[in-house]
Structure formats: structure tokens, C-alpha cells
Amino acid sequence: MRLILLGPPGAGKGTQSKKLLDYLQIPHLSTGELLRAAKQNCPLGRLAAQYMDNGRLVPDPLVLAIVGEKLQEPQFATGCMFDGFPRTLQQARSLDESLAERGTPLSMALELRADENELSARMLKRAADERRADRASLRLSRRSRRPRRPRRRAHPACHRPERDVGGDERGRELDRARAGR
């Protein structure tokens, strides 16, 4: 199973991913961790470090090359949960192409949602806990002024229930997806 967990900061991706990883018994592929580890371990990582050390985003082709190398490792043959990836439309399209070439398409993308006020409260608490309240407050105030655009389904594997279903139904849906590995 190849799974992407989507959602805004504070929606609970980290919390839910831990539970799903344990349940599904698939490895975790975090691009943040991958890029930090690659800084010392490979030529592509050292190139990525030049961007990160200057506070710049690592370009998509470089991120894709590093993720592609990681997906070649045996532990990812049966699947993984992508964390922090894809972040851009180009990354999503390239991931689709790469997985299709390997004959291992994306199984599911789960979107977590939460009330905007709850998200703001969680992010402000997280910022205070991490002693970075000023940046978080600024981001949250900008976000609240920004007009909201309707969301579109980004990928055919993106799973959005037609109706709110209880936990038992969600569990059955995950069991069906897991069986289709």
C-alpha cells in the first residue's frame, strides 16, 4: 500500500500517521527526515543541503531524485506512507508517473480536516510550546484574512467519504485498502 496523508498543519497528520503505520505495517517516508539524513550521506543530499542551509526550498527535481532513490530500497517494495510529500503539483504528477512506471500506483490519499478555529488554537499552542509564537501568530493572522478557495480532488486515489462515517466504517475502508496491497 502506498498512502499519502494530507491536511493542514494541526489537523492531526502526525498523530494519525503513527496509528496507521502501526496498523498497516508499512514504512514511513518523511521527506524532511530524508533530506536531513541525505545531507551527509549522498551527493544529491549535499546538493540539497546547499539550499536548506541558505533557508531556501529544495527544488522539485532534486526532491524527486532523492525520493526516487529511497523508493528503490527493498523495505519500500511493499509500500509506504508519504509524509511531507508531495507538496507541489509538479511533485504529485511526478510521483504518479514514477509509481506508474514501477507498476506500483498510489493506493490512497487521505485528507484530514478540522475546524479553522481548532486548527488555529492547535498551531498557536504548538508555536508556544516550541517558543515560536510570533511567526505562528503572523501566519495565522494572514491565513484568516485570505479568501478561501474551494478545494478540488487532486488525485483519483484521494479518499473523501460522501458522508461522515463512523470509526467502524473507516476501519472497514482501511481494511479493504490494506487487502488490496
Side-chain angles (χ1 to χ4, degrees), residues 57-72:
L57 291 175
V58 179
D60 285 346
L62 188 51
V63 172
L64 292 164
I66 293 171
V67 169
E69 277 186 6
K70 191 70 171 177
L71 287 174
Q72 299 292 339

Side-chain angles (χ1 to χ4, degrees), residues 65-137:
I66 293 171
V67 169
E69 277 186 6
K70 191 70 171 177
L71 287 174
Q72 299 292 339
E73 295 179 9
Q75 75 256 29
F76 295 102
T78 59
C80 67
M81 178 184 292
F82 293 98
D83 176 356
F85 183 81
R87 287 198 184 273
T88 67
L89 188 54
Q90 179 185 346
Q91 287 179 358
R93 287 179 177 146
S94 295
L95 177 63
D96 270 348
E97 291 169 9
S98 174
L99 293 175
E101 287 171 9
R102 292 184 170 105
T104 57
L106 186 64
S107 305
M108 183 181 295
L110 296 173
E111 179 185 32
L112 299 182
R113 295 181 185 176
D115 176 74
E116 283 290 323
N117 293 329
E118 179 65 23
L119 291 173
S120 295
R122 289 178 187 176
M123 291 308 298
L124 288 170
K125 181 181 181 324
R126 183 184 294 173
D129 291 347
E130 295 174 4
R131 301 183 193 281
R132 55 179 182 86
D134 292 345
R135 284 189 344 202
S137 299

Side-chain angles (χ1 to χ4, degrees), residues 39-55:
K39 283 171 74 169
Q40 291 108 22
N41 298 332
C42 70
L44 289 176
R46 287 188 285 280
L47 182 58
Q50 293 174 12
Y51 289 93
M52 294 185 293
D53 293 345
N54 289 310

